[in-house]
Amino acid sequence: MSGTDKSTQNDGAFFTLTDERDGQQYRLPLLSGTLGAPAIDIRNFYNTSGVLTYDPGFTSTAACSSAITYIDGDQGILLYRGYPIQDLAIHSDYMEVCYLLLYGELPSPEEKATFERDIKLHTMLHDQLMLFFRGFTRNAHPMAIMVGVVGALSAFYHDSTDIKDPEQRMLAAYRIIAKMPTIGAYTYRYSLGRPFVYPKNDFSYAENLLYMTFSVPTEEYVPNPVLVKALDRILILHADHEQNASTSTVRLAGSSGANPFACIAAGIASLWGPAHGGANEAVLKMLTEIGDKSRIPEYIKRAKDKNDPFRLMGFGHRVYKHYDPRAQIMRETCHEVLAELGIKDDPLLDLAMELERIALQDDYFIERKLYPNVDFYTGIIMRAMGFPTNMFTVLFAIGRTVGWVAHWKEMIADPKIKIGRPRQLYVGHPQREYIPLEKRQQTEIRGWSRLWGGGNKNGK
Ligand code: ACO
């Protein structure tokens, strides 16, 4: 993957690696950004040494440079374009954050009004695209529908798929950001068999999302301002998170020159997994399964047992080794929403807080620096608002779309863009001789087949 190089520089510092096989030394430039750890520039390392670097999971690899978002995982700091997430969550709104992520600066009042109006011009879906929903079964997972419909946007909006044209890139960006709430709301309405509701331009982005999801055409819909604020905040907190799995997926897909709609669909697919955006849904399932505070110790024990695949969902993060700042904000918002809805005692919130309290006192979680992440409390809020569990990741995807788009744009605008093409450490057979079918000696049955009852006798 490639990224902008405008802010990385070598200040004359180098990192020397020694090949202990022959004593050969390699002097590698150290690149520094504006904040965070420096990076060893290994771009020419393979050419000069014939040796690859090995980093599955990218735990020590900066795949690009980026000027969008900064995370200090040890301090629990998250900045969008330099602004702390707490300030944005409290004082800003989602449209302003979208502008900030896309353009790099906070908008003036005029710029903000124009941006909001321009986004609203693109909220409806092509009438024929609406038919796509009918191709899915009513019980399809909303994320399955969303991946399909977003991917299909490229079949409808041909005037914004030329990635070499900055105008078309911007048009595609606006279209995707504008249409995501409509698509998300329709995945829900379709599952219920309710008629689709068109967006309304006098509503804000979050109001429209609630309106298109929950209103019925026969009744007037008045959005609850506390819920609107909470939803807007959820969208802000999810708007970007630097090079996470889905954003890296968008970058990788985009690095080949694929159109933006296809790239965002790839990001949605990546987000869906329970180790990433699917965790908010998994947290609710876990809390429901635990059911009662008395069973928490049993689940903590299971989470610590290496022979048990169970993990405490909503806990732990690749980058944060500190309380996720987004989780802190969500915890407060959770109380506000429940109070507004008159839910005095939510058993799941009580359970979540007790689970957090017990886990944070446990040596296993302390030693590994495992804290609640953003997903731990968002599910409880979304559920209280009326969203079913399977819509949680859809809301995450709607919020994250601007981040995906901003990273995609940043990458495409870089004149030094290179296709993302990782190398590998091959561990398969060395070259061997092909044996004709009739001469092969059958020693065991290999390969999966339904005819063999879903597996073979060797379980391979
Ligand atoms: N429960 C129990 N143990 C955990 C958990 C957890 N939730 N998370 C990490 N660990 C343990 C691991 O078993 C490992 O232990 P070990 O050192 O004894 O082997 C250690 O902590 C480090 O964990 P890794 O899996 O190496 O950390 P990684 O950075 O690869 O994974 C991840 C991060 C995927 C988020 C992980 O913590 C996890 O699976 N959490 C639960 C799922 C979740 O909440 N995902 C949402 C992430 S945030 C987001 O996408 C918005």
Side-chain angles (χ1 to χ4, degrees):
M1 276 173 271
S2 165
T4 57
D5 262 350
K6 57 178 180 267
S7 57
T8 59
Q9 53 184 38
N10 174 240
D11 299 328
F14 287 85
F15 200 90
T16 303
L17 285 179
T18 306
D19 185 341
E20 293 198 354
R21 295 170 304 178
D22 57 9
Q24 175 76 40
Q25 291 202 324
Y26 298 92
R27 199 162 167 262
L28 301 162
L30 261 185
L31 300 178
S32 50
T34 39
L35 291 171
I40 304 169
D41 184 349
I42 55 163
R43 278 175 289 186
N44 290 319
F45 187 58
Y46 176 64
N47 282 345
T48 51
S49 69
V51 174
L52 294 169
T53 56
Y54 182 65
D55 185 19
F58 302 114
T59 51
S60 296
T61 296
C64 62
S65 60
S66 176
I68 301 173
T69 290
Y70 173 73
I71 304 173
D72 182 329
D74 295 324
Q75 305 286 326
I77 292 170
L78 170 59
L79 310 175
Y80 291 168
R81 300 284 191 185
Y83 295 101
I85 191 68
Q86 290 86 347
D87 289 350
L88 295 170
I90 292 166
H91 304 298
S92 186
D93 62 49
Y94 184 66
M95 276 293 96
E96 184 172 82
V97 167
C98 285
Y99 186 98
L100 175 69
L101 290 169
L102 283 178
Y103 291 101
E105 296 297 338
L106 288 169
S108 67
E110 294 76 25
E111 285 167 335
K112 182 163 186 253
T114 307
F115 179 68
E116 284 188 40
R117 197 213 52 220
D118 286 348
I119 290 287
K120 280 178 184 170
L121 293 179
H122 294 288
T123 49
M124 286 195 300
L125 302 186
H126 189 291
D127 207 43
Q128 217 159 334
L129 190 61
M130 313 267 270
L131 300 176
F132 268 59
F133 290 85
R134 307 209 180 280
F136 291 93
T137 58
R138 297 271 177 195
N139 64 357
H141 195 289
M143 285 295 282
I145 301 180
M146 190 173 239
V147 173
V149 174
V150 172
L153 290 174
S154 46
F156 289 82
Y157 300 103
H158 304 290
D159 58 343
S160 52
T161 52
D162 178 0
I163 64 159
K164 293 198 175 73
D165 178 350
E167 280 282 316
Q168 292 205 23
R169 295 205 293 265
M170 217 29 145
L171 179 57
Y174 278 44
R175 276 186 171 145
I176 299 171
I177 293 166
K179 291 182 198 312
M180 282 297 275
T182 318
I183 294 171
Y186 289 3
T187 64
Y188 172 69
R189 298 192 79 89
Y190 181 71
S191 72
L192 296 181
R194 284 195 189 156
F196 297 148
V197 171
Y198 290 115
K200 230 175 155 178
N201 278 2
D202 43 359
F203 279 153
S204 71
Y205 195 86
E207 281 173 335
N208 242 328
L209 177 50
L210 288 172
Y211 167 68
M212 288 188 287
T213 307
F214 295 120
S215 68
V216 283
T218 45
E219 300 280 336
E220 202 195 336
Y221 184 80
V222 183
N224 176 324
V226 176
L227 302 193
V228 170
K229 181 76 204 152
L231 183 56
D232 195 77
R233 196 169 275 174
I234 289 175
L235 297 174
I236 292 174
L237 295 185
H238 288 86
D240 194 39
H241 216 224
E242 50 116 307
Q243 311 307 323
N244 55 82
S246 55
T247 303
S248 299
T249 303
V250 170
R251 279 187 178 261
L252 198 53
S255 75
S256 73
N259 76 70
F261 304 107
C263 297
I264 301 303
I268 296 170
S270 169
L271 184 77
W272 192 359
H276 190 12
N280 49 21
E281 185 176 343
V283 170
L284 245 270
K285 281 188 186 146
M286 175 190 74
L287 292 174
T288 311
E289 191 187 312
I290 297 175
D292 190 84
K293 286 182 194 171
S294 62
R295 297 186 65 201
I296 292 175
E298 177 195 330
Y299 280 82
I300 295 272
K301 196 170 161 214
R302 282 188 59 194
K304 298 192 301 189
D305 181 357
K306 294 294 166 205
N307 297 316
D308 188 329
F310 175 76
R311 282 190 166 197
L312 219 52
M313 298 315 287
F315 255 76
H317 198 275
R318 169 61 59 81
V319 183
Y320 291 119
K321 303 302 164 198
H322 191 280
Y323 209 103
D324 180 340
R326 302 169 302 169
Q328 229 143 9
I329 301 166
M330 277 295 97
R331 196 176 197 240
E332 286 157 26
T333 308
C334 196
H335 287 290
E336 285 165 25
V337 166
L338 296 183
E340 171 66 18
L341 295 173
I343 304 171
K344 288 204 178 64
D345 297 305
D346 180 1
L348 285 194
L349 177 61
D350 287 349
L351 192 61
M353 285 171 48
E354 183 64 2
L355 183 60
E356 177 189 329
R357 191 187 67 76
I358 295 178
L360 292 184
Q361 288 176 354
D362 191 295
D363 282 346
Y364 175 94
F365 293 88
I366 295 170
E367 280 160 19
R368 289 168 180 75
K369 299 186 178 166
L370 300 171
Y371 294 89
N373 58 49
V374 67
D375 292 320
F376 196 65
Y377 287 105
T378 42
I380 297 173
I381 306 176
M382 292 171 183
R383 174 173 156 273
M385 287 175 169
F387 288 100
T389 323
N390 62 8
M391 279 293 287
F392 294 177
T393 314
V394 165
L395 296 182
F396 189 155
I398 294 170
R400 181 57 55 86
T401 296
V402 66
W404 291 329
V405 167
H407 281 273
W408 173 80
K409 277 180 71 269
E410 183 181 67
M411 179 185 70
I412 299 291
D414 179 2
K416 290 201 291 271
I417 180 175
K418 258 176 134 40
I419 186 167
R421 203 314 187 173
R423 305 298 292 258
Q424 64 168 12
L425 192 58
Y426 177 68
V427 294
H429 279 284
Q431 186 169 328
R432 51 185 172 157
E433 194 187 334
Y434 178 82
I435 300 164
L437 183 59
E438 61 282 5
K439 291 199 178 149
R440 279 173 229 159
Q441 293 202 341
Q442 179 87 6
T443 50
E444 59 178 29
I445 298 172
R446 292 179 298 256
W448 183 88
S449 166
R450 276 189 192 280
L451 293 176
W452 298 328
N456 61 52
K457 62 186 172 127
N458 303 304
K460 286 180 188 162

